[in-house]
Amino acid sequence: SIYRLYVCLDLRTTRARLLEMFTDVTCNPEIMKNATDAYFSLLQGFIASLDGTTQENKMRFIQNFKWTDTLQGNTPSAQQDAVFELVSMAFNVALWYTKFASRLAGKENITEAEAKDVHRSLKVAAGIFKTLKEIHIPRLITPAEKGRDLEPRVIDAYIIQCQAEAQEVTIARAIELKHNATLIAALAFETANFYQKADHTLNTLEPECSSKWRKYLQLKQHFYMAYAFCYHGQTLLASDKCGEAIRSLQEAEKCYSRAEALCKEYRQTKGPGTTAKPSEQLFFLKLGGLIKNTLEKCQRENGFIYFHKVPAEAPQLELKASYGLAEPVAFELPAVSDQCSAEVYASFDLTKGAKNDKAKPKDEEVKPVKEPDLKPQKDTGCIVS
């Protein structure tokens, strides 16, 4: 059937187009969505039931697909399963959104509209990872191997980190607009907890592939705990609790010093991924100055006005943010393409020239997609990409 040929040609063309978009610097979320929908609507014709029965689509297992993983170098995973292709490609679409966000955040003088695009892109990425984990990855016949992108620990860490980095945009905005210190402290505390949760998710992975990533998550956790204690100290001072405010600021100093030490350890740790330099960035340096100045102010006020005793114990932060928490944007696959009709499906005869392509990965390496060598105008400290 000529229609069968068209489906196969279009599947190949839309796949190639989507792969091109991953490295096209002019690609934006709208172009990416169109390219993704075009490919996935056809690919689903090889996965969904098209003959009106509940039987498995006969096309699902005819082609072997190979994909490399973010933590495992260029040695591929392979499965003879169209669902494996779907989840692997969608995983890379999610990674593209994180890279787009990172690139945009690295611009000088980022506008409000661009900050919103960064925020939304990270939430879209989290939503794709989450949907893959909950709906599509469980459909695989062969579960993902340990340390591979599609296994629960790795994908959970990506979901949580995308949410945390989206909240960083919210925190920056709240500080810029001089929002209530209580809200900023709560958002920073929740963000620190996200980074801690992501770190704990990876603690049973092999250190050689996870240590660098974990150092980054730990430094971000301590950095945002420093933010939380700093702004909590401001709230306490505004409530005339000067002694407690001083103790909160002292704890902020401790967390900030630990974050600085972790920055050094992170740069020295070998592992997959690029190396950011957060400790050299303005957002990092500004917090150090803010903690120092706020603590000095509290100490002055205490010496002149309050004469409060400084508690030995740091305050317990039990802060809940009422606003600004980043929820993943729900991800839905497009409808099956009209080209994938029951008639076209029936015309595929697998008894003729069926491929006996075993899904065992060979030892050869898969060449990675060459990413554009784009230096951001400023280092954002973002590392999910």
Side-chain angles (χ1 to χ4, degrees), residues 115-128:
K116 282 181 180 173
D117 281 344
V118 172
H119 190 249
R120 180 168 173 79
S121 294
L122 289 164
K123 293 196 296 178
V124 168
I128 296 172

Side-chain angles (χ1 to χ4, degrees), residues 215 218-219 222-223 252-265 284:
K215 286 286 180 203
Q218 289 161 16
L219 79 85
H222 283 84
F223 179 73
E253 271 193 327
K254 262 192 210 170
C255 293
Y256 186 77
S257 296
R258 182 68 187 123
E260 282 185 310
L262 281 162
C263 281
K264 212 171 278 182
E265 289 173 32
F284 198 96

Side-chain angles (χ1 to χ4, degrees), residues 4 22 44 106 134 139 149 178 206 228 231 248 273 296 312 320 324 369 380:
R4 183 179 70 215
F22 290 152
Q44 284 194 96
E134 292 173 356
R139 297 168 67 195
D149 286 342
K178 297 184 168 52
E206 293 297 320
Y231 278 89
S248 192
E296 285 173 359
K320 283 273 170 214
V369 172
T380 59

Side-chain angles (χ1 to χ4, degrees), residues 7 14 23 37 59 72 86 111 118 163 179 210 216 225 257 291 299 317 342-343 375:
V7 167
T14 54
T23 58
D37 285 353
M59 312 296 294
Q72 303 295 335
L86 174 75
T111 65
V118 172
Q163 286 179 270
H179 274 295
S210 65
Y216 172 79
M225 282 304 289
S257 296
I291 293 168
Q299 286 167 333
L317 295 183
E343 292 75 29
K375 298 286 180 223

Side-chain angles (χ1 to χ4, degrees), residues 40 44 47 60 81-88 90-91 127-142 150 155 331-334:
F40 285 166
Q44 284 194 96
I47 297 169
R60 179 176 165 182
D81 185 348
V83 172
F84 179 67
E85 165 70 357
L86 174 75
V87 294
S88 298
F91 186 94
I128 296 172
F129 289 132
K130 189 168 186 279
T131 304
L132 292 180
K133 183 202 167 198
E134 292 173 356
I135 297 171
H136 302 292
I137 292 172
R139 297 168 67 195
L140 289 171
I141 305 296
T142 309
L150 304 181
I155 209 153
F331 169 68
E332 287 183 14
L333 288 171

Side-chain angles (χ1 to χ4, degrees), residues 311-329:
E313 293 294 315
Q316 287 297 307
L317 295 183
E318 291 173 4
L319 306 170
K320 283 273 170 214
S322 322
Y323 312 98
L325 292 178
E327 285 300 320
V329 171

